[in-house]
Amino acid sequence: MKFLFLFSFLCFCLGLLSQRVSSQDHASTPPRGWNSYDSFIWTISEEEFLQSSDIISKQLLPHGYEYAVVDYLWYRRKVPGAYVDSLGFDVIDEWGRPIPDPDRWPSSKGGKGFTEVAAKVHSLGLKFGIHVMRGISTQAVNANTPILDTAKGTAYEESGRKWTAQDIGIKERTCAWMNNGFMSVNTELGAGKAFLRSLYQQYAEWGVDFVKNDCVFGEDIDVPEISFVSEVLKQLDRPILYSLSPGTRATPTMAKDISGLVNMYRITGDDWDSWGDVLAHFDVSRDFAAANMIGANGLLGKSWPDLDMLPLGWLSNAGSNDGPHRYTNLGLREQRTQMTLWSMAKSPLMFGGDVRKLDDTTYGLITNPTLLEINSFSSNNKEFPYVSSNLSARAFKNNDLVHTWQARRHLTDTRSSDTHVLGLTTCADVKAMGWSIQAVDQDPEHICWKENSRSKRRAPFCLNKRESLLALDEDIIDKQKYQGKVNLLASDKMDLCLHASPKRKLTSKELKRGFFSPCRWDANQMWELNSNGTLVNSYSGLCATINSVEAKANSQGVRSWIATGKKGQIYVAFFNLNDDWATITAQKSDLAKELPGTKLSGGSCKGTEAWSGQDLGIIGQTISFSVIPHGAAVIVLQCT
């Protein structure tokens, strides 16, 4: 008996250890899968989703694409008048929680939610994911639904009363780009925590493996919600991968506050199928790699900066109520460039095209074995700036190259004209400490940035100060917390206020300068000047900073990334962002300095190009490749 007891106890301990080891491996490599947004926007049905999941299981799962994710508004009825920011068309349960629209998701009837869909997805060998918005829906707050206490299975009670949605919803913190949809929850209240707990426990009961939490990061950052949700996920019986979206104006400094709480987080605006969107990802991916954020510690495992979905193949249009109905606008060379950057930066790979129309070309792009190997298993990934290039117009007569630019080293961008660019950062960042009240034209009611233009003859960057509309609102119960906070106007002649988050979803290519919108009762337009010179926004808790930079005349150039493989490979990616052909060259000696410990310096290296399969033979002291306009080359070096 004693032996049996000890044996049982040992098995129990080993089981716990196994669970712990498994949980610590959560998102051990960048997650990979399919998301419905790019092809279906919000209108996908159960039939379409399960049909897509079946195809993913057969064609993409063998290549590591294991998540099938339903993107946003699966709870919205597809009826006339319903659109992305409509109000009153959502299906919610008695506790104010979104549940699938039964017309689009018939298996959800009878309170079953996504249980049957998740089971079918699991039977295909896939993992099931959903998109959710921040906090609580405006519809639930307007209906003043009770809050579920999951421990008791009854309405949440505290301090001798039952709490409702109106007690926890923060109306002045609505999602900036879905103002009618959702608002933050007060996580300082037990009732607010109970509501969020009831959401994620329900997702676990449905069989969800992946949650994409939107409007909580970047300009819309909500650290209290992220932190509490992360704690709830740790306590669940099933592991759920935690993803954040979107990430407009996300910075490494901002991400360090949350990367340990999640598994992936968007660092850009929405990526769509335009060359401008692809270009917009180069600088931000470089910055996150340089900050050692790739594969950092995350929720029960690792976390990954996310460059957004791959809008390849058959797509819809952003904001559409139907689709998919068109092919990607990116050319093949541009699609290869995108796939190359995503792989070299080790971004999660979430394919967005309609898999029911998955053509051979798109399939070959997203399943290229070398690129997938780099994405999952490479290390030392970073931008490599020490390259030179010859730009040329391609002359097809006699196959000659007519050189139009000379080789150049340590690339620079062509720039012109100064401009002030508004940024948001954590308030602990010293770059945010530059604001003060100054007199302008004998008027002291201005808040100005200390760093003026490089031209001393330019006026300082100043904003007109006015007491905030929220602070003046007699209907606000807790007015005290808004005292001392102000609206900042572009001009005293126009009722336009500075706001800190976009009023619509933005694509990655859109540069957002300190922009203004009509003044309104909105925490997004409320600011407070602190004694240390920081200007903090009431919506996000982030601080404003101004960069006086020269506006880019163009965004062309060449870029390069490097990484090492698990079997000693050296990966060198060349990107030609120009409109002409470019011969791009790197020195082995420079590569060896950036990748110490490899066999680059003293060994003999053979090279192949991953997209074309071209054998480059023995590599000398230089690595050179002619790259098509808007194209990329991935050179794999095997050194002995």
Side-chain angles (χ1 to χ4, degrees):
M1 290 292 293
K2 184 177 181 180
F3 174 77
L4 289 175
F5 172 78
L6 290 174
F7 180 76
S8 299
F9 180 73
L10 179 61
C11 289
F12 173 74
C13 292
L14 288 174
L16 290 178
L17 179 61
S18 176
Q19 289 181 6
R20 181 169 179 80
V21 170
S22 176
S23 68
Q24 293 303 319
D25 288 340
H26 204 32
S28 58
T29 58
R32 195 177 297 167
W34 175 79
N35 182 293
S36 63
Y37 178 73
D38 286 349
S39 44
F40 291 95
I41 308 300
W42 68 273
T43 62
I44 191 169
S45 68
E46 180 173 335
E47 180 182 5
E48 291 167 329
F49 181 75
L50 290 178
Q51 183 183 7
S52 299
S53 298
D54 184 61
I55 297 169
I56 295 164
S57 174
K58 293 173 181 175
Q59 298 193 40
L60 297 181
L61 179 59
H63 302 280
Y65 289 84
E66 61 177 339
Y67 290 97
V69 182
V70 182
D71 212 84
Y72 73 164
L73 304 185
W74 37 266
Y75 37 82
R76 185 152 297 173
R77 294 188 182 276
K78 188 181 177 183
V79 295
Y83 59 98
V84 170
D85 197 26
S86 58
L87 176 61
F89 295 93
D90 294 347
V91 184
I92 58 177
D93 67 9
E94 61 181 307
W95 308 108
R97 301 176 299 182
I99 56 177
D101 168 23
D103 291 332
R104 288 193 289 141
W105 303 89
S107 72
S108 70
K109 294 177 181 177
K112 290 182 289 186
F114 276 126
T115 304
E116 290 191 11
V117 170
K120 290 178 181 178
V121 170
H122 293 155
S123 71
L124 295 170
L126 300 172
K127 296 178 181 178
F128 175 61
I130 60 173
H131 173 289
V132 302
M133 292 295 296
R134 79 184 311 161
I136 189 169
S137 71
T138 303
Q139 189 168 319
V141 172
N142 290 345
N144 202 24
T145 53
I147 295 165
L148 175 63
D149 184 337
T150 55
K152 298 179 179 179
T154 58
Y156 181 83
E157 294 187 45
E158 186 182 349
S159 302
R161 71 181 182 92
K162 294 181 179 179
W163 292 67
T164 64
Q166 290 186 1
D167 295 320
I168 64 171
I170 306 176
K171 294 182 179 180
E172 61 272 21
R173 279 185 53 85
T174 57
C175 178
W177 57 265
M178 194 192 287
N179 189 58
N180 290 320
F182 290 80
M183 65 184 71
S184 290
V185 161
N186 188 342
T187 55
E188 295 181 3
L189 298 174
K193 294 177 180 178
F195 178 77
L196 291 176
R197 187 181 297 110
S198 73
L199 286 179
Y200 286 84
Q201 287 187 359
Q202 178 168 258
Y203 302 151
E205 292 167 2
W206 286 346
V208 170
D209 305 292
F210 178 108
V211 169
K212 177 181 175 181
N213 195 7
D214 208 336
C215 206
V216 292
F217 188 51
E219 295 176 331
D220 304 299
I221 193 166
D222 193 331
V223 175
E225 178 168 330
I226 295 169
S227 301
F228 183 73
V229 168
S230 184
E231 285 301 314
V232 171
L233 294 178
K234 286 181 183 178
Q235 299 165 11
L236 295 177
D237 293 333
R238 65 179 297 109
I240 295 180
L241 189 146
Y242 191 23
S243 169
L244 303 184
S245 177
T248 46
R249 283 186 180 156
T251 64
T253 302
M254 184 190 304
K256 285 179 180 178
D257 290 337
I258 56 87
S259 62
L261 305 173
V262 304
N263 301 112
M264 52 187 276
Y265 51 95
R266 279 269 299 281
I267 59 175
T268 69
D270 281 5
D271 174 67
W272 274 97
D273 53 327
S274 74
W275 179 237
D277 269 11
V278 175
L279 288 174
H281 289 74
F282 277 88
D283 286 352
V284 67
S285 58
R286 171 203 62 201
D287 295 344
F288 274 81
N292 297 316
M293 301 300 290
I294 297 176
N297 290 333
L299 173 62
L300 300 176
K302 294 185 178 181
S303 64
W304 306 93
D306 178 15
L307 297 179
D308 200 15
M309 294 167 285
L310 295 164
L312 311 176
W314 201 254
L315 307 171
S316 186
N317 289 319
S320 175
N321 276 5
D322 57 52
H325 54 259
R326 65 177 180 83
Y327 196 70
T328 181
N329 290 317
L330 294 172
L332 177 57
R333 65 189 72 172
E334 296 168 339
Q335 296 176 58
R336 285 181 173 177
T337 294
Q338 182 168 37
M339 185 68 184
T340 302
L341 179 62
W342 265 236
S343 297
M344 293 296 295
K346 292 178 73 72
S347 169
L349 297 180
M350 291 290 173
F351 177 55
D354 185 355
V355 292
R356 301 170 307 172
K357 295 186 177 182
L358 184 59
D359 59 277
D360 291 342
T361 298
T362 305
Y363 178 79
L365 278 165
I366 64 176
T367 62
N368 181 290
T370 301
L371 274 296
L372 295 185
E373 172 78 12
I374 293 170
N375 180 253
S376 287
F377 302 116
S378 62
S379 56
N380 301 308
N381 304 66
K382 55 189 170 183
E383 186 172 87
F384 178 71
Y386 308 108
V387 292
S388 61
S389 68
N390 279 343
L391 295 187
S392 58
R394 191 71 160 177
F396 292 97
K397 182 178 180 180
N398 298 324
N399 293 320
D400 290 329
L401 294 179
V402 181
H403 295 295
T404 56
W405 286 16
Q406 296 299 314
R408 53 194 177 134
R409 196 74 186 269
H410 304 288
L411 299 171
T412 58
D413 292 317
T414 304
R415 299 172 180 264
S416 65
S417 71
D418 288 358
T419 186
H420 290 107
V421 179
L422 174 70
L424 292 173
T425 186
T426 58
C427 294
D429 192 339
V430 294
K431 296 179 181 178
M433 301 175 186
W435 297 93
S436 62
I437 295 178
Q438 295 183 19
V440 178
D441 296 330
Q442 310 306 314
D443 180 0
E445 295 303 306
H446 290 81
I447 293 179
C448 300
W449 179 249
K450 67 179 180 183
E451 297 291 344
N452 298 334
S453 167
R454 297 178 186 182
S455 171
K456 296 182 179 179
R457 287 177 286 185
R458 283 192 61 176
F461 185 86
C462 294
L463 299 163
N464 292 275
K465 174 184 169 185
R466 186 183 73 185
E467 189 171 4
S468 77
L469 296 174
L470 269 173
L472 296 172
D473 193 341
E474 296 296 334
D475 295 329
I476 297 277
I477 296 175
D478 191 11
K479 278 184 57 177
Q480 188 63 34
K481 65 181 178 181
Y482 300 122
Q483 298 305 313
K485 300 184 179 182
V486 298
N487 291 140
L488 297 173
L489 284 72
S491 167
D492 56 8
K493 297 179 181 179
M494 293 186 293
D495 197 32
L496 295 176
C497 288
L498 179 72
H499 61 82
S501 188
K503 295 300 177 183
R504 60 187 177 86
K505 295 192 80 174
L506 295 171
T507 62
S508 294
K509 70 179 179 180
E510 292 175 292
L511 176 64
K512 302 169 293 302
R513 300 189 179 118
F515 51 87
F516 299 82
S517 58
C519 297
R520 50 187 289 173
W521 280 256
D522 192 338
N524 188 38
Q525 294 184 345
M526 290 177 49
W527 304 84
E528 181 177 13
L529 180 64
N530 294 324
S531 58
N532 65 352
T534 57
L535 185 64
V536 61
N537 179 253
S538 297
Y539 172 80
S540 64
L542 297 172
C543 281
T545 181
I546 296 292
N547 296 314
S548 179
V549 301
E550 295 171 338
K552 291 184 180 180
N554 61 68
S555 57
Q556 295 180 330
V558 300
R559 308 290 277 263
S560 178
W561 274 67
I562 56 175
T564 54
K566 63 180 180 180
K567 295 182 179 180
Q569 308 98 318
I570 290 93
Y571 301 112
V572 183
F574 289 150
F575 300 94
N576 178 16
L577 310 183
N578 298 285
D579 296 330
D580 297 313
W581 283 76
T583 300
I584 306 174
T585 302
Q587 303 293 324
K588 274 181 63 179
S589 57
D590 288 336
L591 288 167
K593 291 176 184 177
E594 291 295 305
L595 297 173
T598 62
K599 298 177 182 178
L600 276 165
S601 55
S604 174
C605 302
K606 293 183 178 180
T608 56
E609 200 284 312
W611 286 116
S612 64
Q614 181 179 347
D615 185 352
L616 305 181
I618 300 296
I619 301 296
Q621 294 305 307
T622 62
I623 303 167
S624 188
F625 202 87
S626 183
V627 184
I628 198 169
H630 296 191
V634 181
I635 298 168
V636 183
L637 301 178
Q638 297 279 3
C639 302
T640 59

